[in-house]
Amino acid sequence: MTDRTLHLELENIGGIEHEELSITAGPTFIQGPNAANKSSFLKGLLFALGSTTVPIRSGADEARAVLSSEEKRVERTARRTDAGIETAGEAWITDPDEITLLERFAGLLETNSLRSAVTRNEDIESLLKEPMDIEALEEEQASKMARKRELTTEIESAGDVDERLEDRKRERTEKRNRLDELESTLEELYDEQDTTDTDTDDVVQELRDERADLRSDETECETQINQLEAAIDRLEGRRDEIEDELEDARDAVDENDVESLKQKRESARSELDDVTKRLDVLQSVLTANREMVDSEFTGVLGRDTGLMGDEVTCWTCGRSAPVEELEETIEDLTALVKEDKRRKREREPEIEALTEQIEEVQRSKTEIQQLEAEKQDVEQKLTNRRDSLEERRDQLEAIRDQLSELDDEIADQAADQRSEQSELTDEIEETRVETETLRREITRLEETIDSLRETREELERKREKIDQLSNEISALTDRIENLESELRAVFNETMDELLDALEFERIERVWLDGEFELVIAREVDGRTQSDSIEHLAESEREMIGLVLALAGFVTYDVDAVTPVLVLDSLGAFDAERTRRLVDYFADETEYLIATAHPESTVDTAFDTVTFKPPVQN
């Protein structure tokens, strides 16, 4: 049977000088009073798993963490340098995206970004959606759609290949049948000629044979001229179409200055960053002031009763001020926070719109390059076709001159031989000309048929590729749409289950709406009404923050990335709710490590490790 125990060894991490611990599968409690280095132990564990930060013990230059199992062992170090903290060694998790999942959804310490955001009532949408990488999915979708459009255009420009192929086959069959008839007729004519006149002048016959060959050459040359003229007309038509498309694409590029759009987007992003930073500061200040107003502590920095009524001592300057003034400040800060959130929501779609404009201009530029290349190719083909047409016309003129000379020569030679054979000879000659012409036409038709078959096969491959791209585009579209709804659904379902399990009577329901805003329904005076998260008790906010992180843990299958789920700072939960919470989370991971104070009653079904404060020298 495989040993599933994890062994962790830490040196100089947080307040830990040296600590070793074996962790068995299932839930494990790290129990001990404050300053017993419980959180330091969890931070060291996360550092071994792959977390990017670790606290180095005061007075030490290097921290070390070793995590091992029966099948795997990793060792990481962190050293102080002039440039900052430098890490070395390979962690349990090495992929940057998987490390983000670990820190965001599995390392649920008090400083966890999601827990902190919920506690301070900050924006959580970006934290939840970042691992989805929707932008990359949308770029992949746009690339596949562009390729699909290219293939569709190529298929449409090819026309009805099947119809043309069937027409050429039918034409070849007709010409073959006609050729068979002519060859039989010619054989009969020769037999007739042999019986009626065996003394035909050899010189005249040679001239007639030569004229028949020239007549065949003349017919072929005329056919080639007609084909070249038709090809030139098609190329000129395509060139005009390309010029129209180029004009449209250039207009699209000229109407939008890419650099100006990029500057606008950069300005919007800069403003969004400024708003985000200011929002962080305002929310921190707002939270601090609310905690000072809500605090029941009296004394130097707390609430006191003065000559003018209740007063508080400012946590920044130490001066006393009436509670009413501080409450007015809180209202002003709240208004500023709401305004900055509104500006943030306005800037994000503006940035997306500018990005789409920039991409559209870039696509138009690419289209211009493609059209200019195609136009150059068409111009080259036109030049070649026109040169060939001129050559064929010169050739035709030379053939006709030779025919004229042969006609004169034959007329001179056959002046005395006009008889019944005259009609027979002419008929043989005409039949031979038509026979030779048919053979050449059949050869060209067979070449055309082979080419059309290859074209049809290529078009079929393109159609199959279009079907494949359509399925992939549809799958990407569904994935983009489903990722967000799945995250909300998992969170809402998990929250409903935990509300029942943890029995928070005052809260009826908590869920994420379509904008990824937390919505709370609670009972007040026998009626259900919505409320802000900032009005919830600390234990209720802690519970919502933990469940929010767990929803991400489940949605992104983080259990496939890390075998460990870490919970810290559960002081807001009583013993029974802590047991229920850990019991619920334990179903989602192989190893669950949670901290608890010594006065907490830990379920005996869970492994418990006791930490003691370090001895002070």
Side-chain angles (χ1 to χ4, degrees):
M1 183 174 180
T2 303
D3 184 5
R4 298 169 60 199
T5 301
L6 291 177
H7 184 75
L8 179 65
E9 180 183 356
L10 303 177
E11 290 183 3
N12 297 327
I13 293 180
I16 296 174
E17 183 175 0
H18 183 269
E19 185 73 53
E20 292 188 41
L21 183 64
S22 293
I23 304 167
T24 59
T28 299
F29 271 103
I30 306 298
Q31 194 169 34
N34 291 335
N37 294 321
K38 301 187 299 299
S39 296
S40 295
F41 177 82
L42 298 183
K43 291 175 181 177
L45 171 59
L46 291 173
F47 178 62
L49 287 169
S51 178
T52 54
T53 60
V54 65
I56 300 178
R57 185 169 175 265
S58 177
D61 293 328
E62 182 178 278
R64 174 174 168 269
V66 180
L67 182 63
S68 60
S69 67
E70 189 178 59
E71 300 175 349
K72 185 175 182 178
R73 182 183 185 276
V74 297
E75 179 175 347
R76 294 187 79 192
T77 59
R79 176 182 292 275
R80 301 184 197 274
T81 67
D82 294 337
I85 303 298
E86 186 177 280
T87 61
E90 184 174 289
W92 197 277
I93 302 168
T94 58
D95 183 84
D97 293 334
E98 293 183 348
I99 291 173
T100 298
L101 292 173
L102 167 72
E103 295 179 330
R104 184 72 49 81
F105 301 113
L108 305 186
L109 307 183
E110 185 177 19
T111 56
N112 176 269
S113 56
L114 271 176
R115 292 183 64 177
S116 300
V118 173
T119 301
R120 296 196 296 265
N121 192 25
E122 296 175 349
D123 177 61
I124 60 174
E125 181 177 3
S126 59
L127 294 174
L128 286 172
K129 292 169 61 176
E130 179 186 358
M132 295 180 186
D133 201 6
I134 290 179
E135 183 176 348
L137 293 176
E138 290 175 341
E139 289 178 358
E140 182 182 358
Q141 181 189 48
S143 175
K144 291 182 182 296
M145 291 176 68
R147 179 55 181 158
K148 179 182 176 182
R149 286 194 297 269
E150 290 176 4
L151 292 174
T152 301
T153 300
E154 291 173 5
I155 290 174
E156 291 174 350
S157 64
D160 192 341
V161 174
D162 289 334
E163 182 177 347
R164 286 155 53 197
L165 179 59
E166 292 303 317
D167 288 344
R168 298 293 87 77
K169 286 181 178 179
R170 186 167 50 252
E171 185 178 354
R172 181 184 62 180
T173 300
E174 293 173 354
K175 290 186 181 298
R176 281 177 173 173
N177 293 336
R178 176 58 179 163
L179 180 60
D180 291 341
E181 293 175 0
L182 288 173
E183 287 176 341
S184 297
T185 301
L186 189 60
E187 186 175 353
E188 293 173 358
L189 289 172
Y190 277 134
D191 290 342
E192 183 181 353
Q193 185 183 50
D194 289 341
T195 59
T196 56
D197 187 11
T198 58
D199 299 325
T200 303
D201 192 305
D202 292 338
V203 176
V204 173
Q205 187 57 46
E206 288 177 3
L207 291 174
R208 291 181 184 276
D209 290 342
E210 185 179 354
R211 184 175 66 173
D213 292 337
L214 284 173
R215 288 284 301 277
S216 178
D217 292 340
E218 179 186 32
T219 301
E220 181 181 9
C221 197
E222 289 173 344
T223 300
Q224 291 176 350
I225 288 172
N226 292 334
Q227 291 174 345
L228 286 170
E229 289 175 343
I232 289 171
D233 290 339
R234 288 195 300 272
L235 288 171
E236 288 176 343
R238 179 54 187 157
R239 182 189 58 190
D240 295 338
E241 292 174 1
I242 292 172
E243 289 175 349
D244 292 340
E245 292 172 8
L246 271 172
E247 184 177 356
D248 294 339
R250 286 167 178 156
D251 289 342
V253 171
D254 294 338
E255 289 172 1
N256 295 280
D257 184 358
V258 173
E259 292 303 320
S260 175
L261 291 173
K262 287 182 178 179
Q263 290 176 1
K264 288 181 181 179
R265 183 176 65 177
E266 189 61 31
S267 175
R269 282 178 174 169
S270 177
E271 184 175 351
L272 178 61
D273 290 341
D274 292 341
V275 170
T276 302
K277 292 177 183 177
R278 185 170 60 250
L279 186 57
D280 290 341
V281 174
L282 288 172
Q283 287 178 324
S284 298
V285 174
L286 178 59
T287 300
N289 281 282
R290 281 176 174 159
E291 290 177 351
M292 188 164 62
V293 170
D294 295 338
S295 175
E296 296 180 358
F297 177 78
T298 60
V300 177
L301 293 178
R303 181 192 296 267
D304 205 349
T305 303
L307 295 175
M308 302 302 292
D310 286 348
E311 297 180 342
V312 292
T313 302
C314 179
W315 54 278
T316 55
C317 65
R319 296 175 58 187
S320 297
V323 173
E324 292 79 8
E325 292 184 6
L326 191 55
E327 290 175 341
E328 291 176 0
T329 300
I330 290 173
E331 292 177 357
D332 293 339
L333 287 171
T334 300
L336 290 172
V337 168
K338 289 182 178 179
E339 175 62 18
D340 280 353
K341 283 185 175 181
R342 181 190 63 78
R343 294 177 62 193
K344 184 178 179 181
R345 287 193 297 269
E346 291 176 350
R347 285 292 171 269
E348 290 173 342
E350 179 184 344
I351 292 171
E352 292 177 358
L354 288 168
T355 300
E356 179 58 28
Q357 283 185 271
I358 292 169
E359 292 175 351
E360 183 62 32
V361 173
Q362 291 172 342
R363 285 194 292 270
S364 295
K365 288 183 176 179
T366 300
E367 183 181 0
I368 288 172
Q369 293 175 350
Q370 293 173 345
L371 289 171
E372 286 177 343
E374 184 180 356
K375 181 181 176 182
Q376 185 176 0
D377 181 62
V378 168
E379 293 286 359
Q380 183 61 46
K381 288 180 179 178
L382 273 172
T383 300
N384 294 339
R385 298 296 187 280
R386 286 166 178 160
D387 292 342
S388 297
L389 178 62
E390 190 65 27
E391 291 175 3
R392 293 298 178 274
R393 284 174 174 167
D394 292 340
Q395 183 180 356
L396 179 61
E397 184 177 356
I399 289 171
R400 286 174 175 170
D401 290 339
Q402 292 179 50
L403 280 171
S404 178
E405 293 174 1
L406 281 173
D407 287 339
D408 293 340
E409 194 172 349
I410 290 171
D412 293 338
Q413 291 289 337
D416 299 328
Q417 298 180 2
R418 301 184 185 278
S419 64
E420 297 177 357
Q421 290 295 111
S422 178
E423 291 183 6
L424 184 59
T425 302
D426 289 341
E427 187 176 355
I428 290 174
E429 181 180 0
E430 293 298 328
T431 303
R432 287 183 58 203
V433 169
E434 187 176 355
T435 300
E436 185 62 28
T437 301
L438 278 173
R439 287 196 182 100
R440 294 181 180 180
E441 289 177 353
I442 289 171
T443 299
R444 284 197 298 270
L445 281 171
E446 288 175 342
E447 293 173 352
T448 302
I449 288 170
D450 290 341
S451 176
L452 286 172
R453 282 174 176 159
E454 292 176 359
T455 301
R456 183 174 63 181
E457 292 173 359
E458 178 65 22
L459 291 177
E460 186 60 31
R461 288 192 291 271
K462 289 179 179 179
R463 291 189 184 97
E464 291 174 356
K465 183 61 176 177
I466 287 175
D467 292 339
Q468 178 186 344
L469 287 171
S470 297
N471 293 334
E472 292 174 356
I473 291 167
S474 178
L476 284 170
T477 302
D478 292 341
R479 186 178 177 191
I480 292 169
E481 294 175 352
N482 292 339
L483 275 175
E484 293 185 1
S485 61
E486 179 185 357
L487 183 62
R488 287 194 298 269
V490 171
F491 170 76
N492 295 338
E493 180 181 350
T494 307
M495 179 60 72
D496 289 341
E497 292 175 359
L498 275 178
L499 283 176
D500 292 338
L502 300 180
E503 297 181 358
F504 284 91
E505 295 85 357
R506 296 173 57 233
I507 300 177
E508 292 194 3
R509 194 180 176 218
V510 179
W511 70 95
L512 284 171
D513 63 12
E515 300 297 326
F516 277 80
E517 295 283 348
L518 281 169
V519 182
I520 300 164
R522 61 188 306 175
E523 184 177 336
V524 179
D525 297 330
R527 293 184 305 168
T528 300
Q529 62 184 40
S530 62
D531 201 352
S532 172
I533 193 171
E534 63 190 17
H535 297 149
L536 297 181
E538 180 182 0
S539 61
E540 295 168 336
R541 293 199 302 270
E542 286 283 355
M543 181 271 294
I544 292 173
L546 284 171
V547 175
L548 189 62
L550 180 61
F553 188 94
V554 174
T555 300
Y556 292 117
D557 296 323
V558 184
D559 61 317
V561 174
T562 170
V564 183
L565 176 61
V566 173
L567 302 176
D568 190 19
S569 301
L570 302 179
F573 291 81
D574 57 32
E576 177 60 19
R577 282 178 174 156
T578 299
R579 185 194 66 76
R580 294 179 182 179
L581 185 71
V582 171
D583 196 32
Y584 183 91
F585 277 28
D587 293 336
E588 304 294 341
T589 183
E590 185 174 3
Y591 301 90
L592 189 148
I593 315 296
T595 62
H597 288 286
E599 60 271 15
S600 300
T601 302
V602 178
D603 195 309
T604 56
F606 302 146
D607 289 344
T608 303
V609 179
T610 302
F611 277 19
K612 295 181 180 180
V615 177
Q616 301 293 330
N617 295 327

